Amino acid sequence: LMLPFSHCIASSERMASAYVITGVFAAMPRWVLSMAYCKPLSVVIWNSVYSLASAWAFRRIDFEPGSPMATFHMVEVVLSVVLVLAVEQQHRALWREARCKLEIKRFSGEQVATTDLLTLVCDAVVELDDELKIAEHTPKLATMLLLDSRSCTAGMQLQHFMPIEADRERLHVQLGDHELAEGTGP
């Protein structure tokens, strides 16, 4: 958004302040477009082209180090750098999020495949929660243990179904350092 009729403005001071005002209004669309497009290399290129075009368009203005034009050119450079850094950060965050989603999808696919494979090989497949209790009711386990149809296996510990103390201790050793409360046999 450069002033197309910049040659019509009478004084260089008025031209400089008009350019600063235009630059402020041009900063917001540049920011929005940069963040929406989210390709760092493209943002670097088009911001460089924009900055060079604006500097070329107003090259005839003589400005001193403290003038609005000197300040504006400095702001232009800082804005371009900030835009590029922000887009790079957004780009990285989007890639990180996409990788995480792919990992979750891959792991859930692996879990389904593992469960299906175990179902083919085993009589009953039981999933344990963090406290090593049965996560959800497993009808095949209930049928295999000849439990009443009203019995629910969810929330029960595996030791509850082990009548032999040695089996309970072996399960405790196999599962590691988890604290397992001793259950009674069925």
Side-chain angles (χ1 to χ4, degrees):
L1 287 174
M2 292 184 289
L3 289 175
F5 303 108
S6 60
H7 61 280
C8 297
I9 299 176
S11 73
S12 64
E13 190 61 39
R14 283 183 59 200
M15 188 177 203
S17 42
Y19 186 58
V20 170
I21 292 169
T22 303
V24 169
F25 287 112
M28 188 53 96
R30 283 175 65 193
W31 181 265
V32 170
L33 289 172
S34 295
M35 296 307 278
Y37 193 60
C38 195
K39 298 212 186 246
L41 182 60
S42 299
V43 171
V44 167
I45 292 170
W46 83 266
N47 271 294
S48 299
V49 168
Y50 179 88
S51 296
L52 289 173
S54 63
W56 182 79
F58 291 93
R59 70 188 182 285
R60 292 178 289 182
I61 299 175
D62 293 327
F63 58 90
E64 295 170 12
S67 73
M69 285 304 290
T71 304
F72 181 77
H73 283 293
M74 190 57 114
V75 168
E76 183 71 31
V77 170
V78 170
L79 178 64
S80 293
V81 169
V82 167
L83 280 172
V84 170
L85 292 175
V87 167
E88 179 63 30
Q89 287 300 324
Q90 181 185 11
H91 185 72
R92 286 182 184 180
L94 289 173
W95 273 105
R96 197 174 19 243
E97 181 182 347
R99 271 188 247 123
C100 287
K101 285 181 180 180
L102 285 173
E103 287 290 318
I104 289 170
K105 189 174 181 179
R106 185 176 62 108
F107 287 138
S108 66
E110 288 176 2
Q111 182 181 8
V112 168
T114 303
T115 303
D116 289 347
L117 182 62
L118 284 171
T119 303
L120 289 173
V121 177
C122 302
D123 293 329
V125 177
V126 177
E127 185 177 338
L128 303 178
D129 63 10
D130 293 341
E131 297 174 1
L132 300 176
K133 294 181 179 179
I134 299 173
E136 57 187 51
H137 178 63
T138 311
K140 285 186 176 183
L141 178 65
T143 302
M144 188 173 81
L145 295 173
L146 303 173
L147 296 176
D148 186 3
S149 61
R150 294 172 284 151
S151 299
C152 180
T153 58
M156 300 180 85
Q157 293 185 335
L158 285 178
Q159 299 94 316
H160 178 78
F161 304 111
M162 298 177 176
I164 302 172
E165 181 65 32
D167 290 340
R168 289 186 211 147
E169 289 175 11
R170 190 171 38 200
L171 177 68
H172 181 72
V173 170
Q174 292 293 323
L175 293 178
D177 296 329
H178 297 286
E179 292 293 323
L180 296 175
E182 286 191 342
T184 59

